[in-house]
Amino acid sequence: MSAVVSWESWSSFKMHWLYIFRMVSFVATISFAIVVLGLSVRATNHPVPIFTDSMYMLFPRIAIVLAVFTLISLLFVVVRDCISAPVSIRAEAVVLLIHCAAWVSVGILTFLQRSGHFPGECDISRQPSGISCENQEPMAIFSLVTGGILLVYVIVLLLVAVHSASCGVPIWTSSVKPPQKKRKKSSIFV
């Protein structure tokens, strides 16, 4: 047996590992986006107007739009992978970096509003505003976790892409999804 590993087998292993990491990251991101969506809808859904200041309700509404946009775009990437029209690494890195920045900014701005840096301070002792206020911290935490997951995935993706490009492999226009091996058609009648 030879101790030397060919570039093709290493590259194939790396892409399989990266694809599995990608799917785990996407599932976690989609799960946290659904949680943030639920918390944001609950925070903005009141039968009576609670706040006269519209700044208070701005961040939950941004989180709703961001969660829906994230769900649609990540599901779009997964569906394109399933129909053999995968997204390039370059496009995926740019889109996910934008998502990451948006999630982190929503999380930070929600924490800042919770601490009173913006008008329309949250007072948990007042009812019914306390219902909305109790959703702010979890929404901010889940937003930051979602942004963190995407950031870790984008960093790993870029490290693998830069390493592959430095070895002479044209990686930026390829996909994370590893190529499928062609199977022989088998028939039970032959």
Side-chain angles (χ1 to χ4, degrees):
M1 289 192 178
S2 173
V4 178
V5 177
S6 69
W7 172 252
E8 289 81 21
S9 65
W10 169 247
S11 178
S12 175
F13 169 75
K14 188 169 36 175
M15 291 313 255
H16 283 289
W17 173 82
L18 188 60
Y19 184 70
I20 291 169
F21 183 66
R22 173 194 192 201
M23 286 293 116
V24 169
S25 299
F26 281 9
V27 167
T29 300
I30 288 171
S31 301
F32 288 134
I34 290 171
V35 169
V36 171
L37 180 64
L39 290 171
S40 301
V41 166
R42 183 171 183 241
T44 58
N45 190 17
H46 289 288
V48 293
I50 299 170
F51 304 102
T52 57
D53 189 3
S54 63
M55 186 67 171
Y56 175 78
M57 299 307 283
L58 180 65
F59 303 121
R61 290 181 180 143
I62 292 173
I64 290 171
V65 171
L66 183 58
V68 170
F69 182 61
T70 300
L71 292 172
I72 290 171
S73 61
L74 291 184
L75 291 175
F76 174 75
V77 169
V78 172
V79 167
R80 279 199 63 172
D81 277 350
C82 291
I83 60 170
S84 299
V87 178
S88 71
I89 288 177
R90 178 179 38 205
E92 188 172 325
V94 169
V95 169
L96 292 181
L97 200 57
I98 291 169
H99 279 287
C100 173
W103 278 111
V104 169
S105 65
V106 165
I108 289 173
L109 291 174
T110 304
F111 266 130
L112 288 176
Q113 182 169 1
R114 176 81 171 116
S115 62
H117 286 80
F118 289 113
E121 244 184 271
C122 195
D123 184 10
I124 295 178
S125 63
R126 288 190 331 197
Q127 289 297 332
S129 67
I131 296 168
S132 292
C133 293
E134 69 185 12
N135 291 330
Q136 274 190 320
E137 283 182 14
M139 185 177 77
I141 290 169
F142 282 117
S143 296
L144 290 173
V145 168
T146 304
I149 290 169
L150 289 173
L151 181 63
V152 168
Y153 172 68
V154 168
I155 288 172
V156 169
L157 177 67
L158 291 176
L159 287 175
V160 168
V162 167
H163 179 265
S164 297
S166 68
C167 293
V169 177
I171 193 80
W172 295 106
T173 56
S174 63
S175 172
V176 173
K177 184 179 179 185
Q180 294 182 356
K181 295 179 183 178
K182 296 190 179 198
R183 298 180 187 172
K184 292 182 181 179
K185 292 184 179 180
S186 63
S187 174
I188 57 172
F189 301 110
V190 177

